[in-house]
Amino acid sequence: MFGKDIGIDLGTATVLVYVKGKGIVLKEPSVVAIDKNTDRILKVGRDAQEMLGRTPGNIIAIRPLRDGVISQYEITLRMIQHFIRQASGPAIFKPRVMICVPSGITEVEERAVVDAATQAGAKKTYLIEEPVAAAIGAGIDISVPNGNMVVDIGGGTTDIAVISLGGVVVSESIKVAGDKFDEAIMRFVRKKYNVLIGERTAEEIKIAIGSVWTREERKSIDVKGRCLIQGLPKMVRIWSDEMIEALDEPITSIVEAVCAVIERTPPELIGDVVENGIVMTGGGSLLYGLDILLSNVTGIPTRVAKNAVSCVALGTGKSLDNIAHIPEGAINISRTRTEQTGIMTM
């Protein structure tokens, strides 16, 4: 009945909504289907995702977020409206909304997110950096003077950060993540098998057999596509060890970004990071062997967080408990809060 505090992980691939007191109440793909003739939204979320690549001429299925930021403002606005309405239900007062954003977001992109949430019905809008939210969601105590490294691999961006005393000390955000994995798989299948597959098929391959390290037992998946030579449907069998080659380019970019952050980390915190290890979150962290690869390259123990896909949303939800002390629109809520009330504890 009354306004609720809502946390939103506004991901390129998936939107997760956390309602204070209830937990994660909504998890839907970031897809909107629109009738071009009437400009009317037909479907949002999972129902719209089913339409990707299968719509008639007058209907388009769109992912309005690209590389972690808003690429189509009006459609994103309507998508956020839909999810806020669905999560909060009938209420007398508008909800306060906290939204996760990549650590490398620009001021213009930041303002677009705040404006979209406000126009979508938020009473006040707050922003939190994804690595901070991911660390909180992974159960890391970010308030202590101890360095922790988080690697959050989402759909559009990979955010890497070293966090200490409630704030981000060193960070890097690159636009290489789940979407680039899918594109790399599509390119590989086209190049090796002369077969054209779509984004959804590439994602299915990634989830089923995606690997960056040799598995003890090979896995395979049969996929259908269009033969580029004959123009006819064709089925091919893809093996898990082929994924190591297919994903080499985007994975190398992520590993290099992690190494760059380690190089810029103050010496006092390196020892903490080595002792505490690297924590991986986000859907991309579930690729088989990515934790092993990072451990081997960096020499630092690496683990995938429990509930890796939900860590950012859970961290956002826990941050809602401190929402009264956070200035509206704060990009780094942890750092801002230390200036006002001391170290934030979660």
Side-chain angles (χ1 to χ4, degrees), residues 57-231:
N58 65 309
I59 298 174
I60 49 173
I62 298 171
R63 294 176 61 185
L65 293 142
R66 281 287 170 188
D67 300 328
V69 294
I70 295 173
S71 62
Q72 301 196 43
Y73 182 84
E74 288 298 326
I75 297 173
T76 303
L77 167 62
R78 291 158 77 177
M79 183 177 73
I80 294 174
Q81 280 177 331
H82 174 86
F83 289 138
I84 288 179
R85 198 178 303 118
Q86 193 172 339
S88 60
I92 297 173
F93 303 109
K94 293 181 177 181
R96 294 183 296 183
V97 176
M98 184 179 291
I99 299 178
C100 286
V101 293
S103 56
I105 193 171
T106 66
E107 288 185 15
V108 173
E109 292 164 345
E110 175 188 340
R111 176 49 52 189
V113 174
V114 173
D115 288 347
T118 303
Q119 289 189 49
K123 178 184 177 184
K124 289 185 177 180
T125 304
Y126 306 85
L127 303 181
I128 178 173
E129 288 177 306
E130 285 179 358
V132 175
I136 297 169
I140 297 172
D141 184 358
I142 67 169
S143 66
V144 296
N146 198 324
N148 287 281
M149 176 175 267
V150 177
V151 179
D152 179 57
I153 307 175
T157 61
T158 293
D159 288 274
I160 306 138
V162 174
I163 300 167
S164 178
L165 282 171
V168 175
V169 180
V170 185
S171 69
E172 181 82 26
S173 181
I174 61 172
K175 294 178 178 180
V176 178
D179 286 350
K180 291 293 189 288
F181 298 165
D182 295 342
E183 291 172 12
I185 292 170
M186 291 166 66
R187 284 197 302 272
F188 175 82
V189 174
R190 185 171 63 241
K191 182 178 179 181
K192 183 167 184 178
Y193 294 100
N194 283 316
V195 171
L196 187 66
I197 60 171
E199 288 182 17
R200 288 193 62 201
T201 302
E203 186 177 23
E204 289 171 7
I205 296 172
K206 177 181 69 179
I207 293 170
I209 62 169
S211 309
V212 298
W213 197 263
T214 304
R215 293 176 182 258
E216 293 181 5
E217 185 177 338
R218 290 178 83 203
K219 295 180 69 176
S220 66
I221 183 174
D222 293 327
V223 296
K224 295 175 184 176
R226 187 174 75 242
C227 178
L228 292 171
I229 298 173
Q230 299 174 325

Side-chain angles (χ1 to χ4, degrees), residues 11-15 27-34 41-55 59-64 66 79 82-83 155 178-179 182 198-204 206-207:
T12 304
T14 309
V15 174
K27 182 181 178 181
E28 295 277 348
S30 309
V31 184
V32 180
I34 295 178
I41 287 185
L42 302 175
K43 299 288 182 181
V44 177
R46 193 164 286 105
D47 291 338
Q49 186 185 42
E50 294 294 325
M51 297 182 177
L52 280 174
R54 298 174 173 172
T55 57
I59 298 174
I60 49 173
I62 298 171
R63 294 176 61 185
R66 281 287 170 188
M79 183 177 73
H82 174 86
F83 289 138
D179 286 350
D182 295 342
E199 288 182 17
R200 288 193 62 201
T201 302
E203 186 177 23
E204 289 171 7
K206 177 181 69 179
I207 293 170

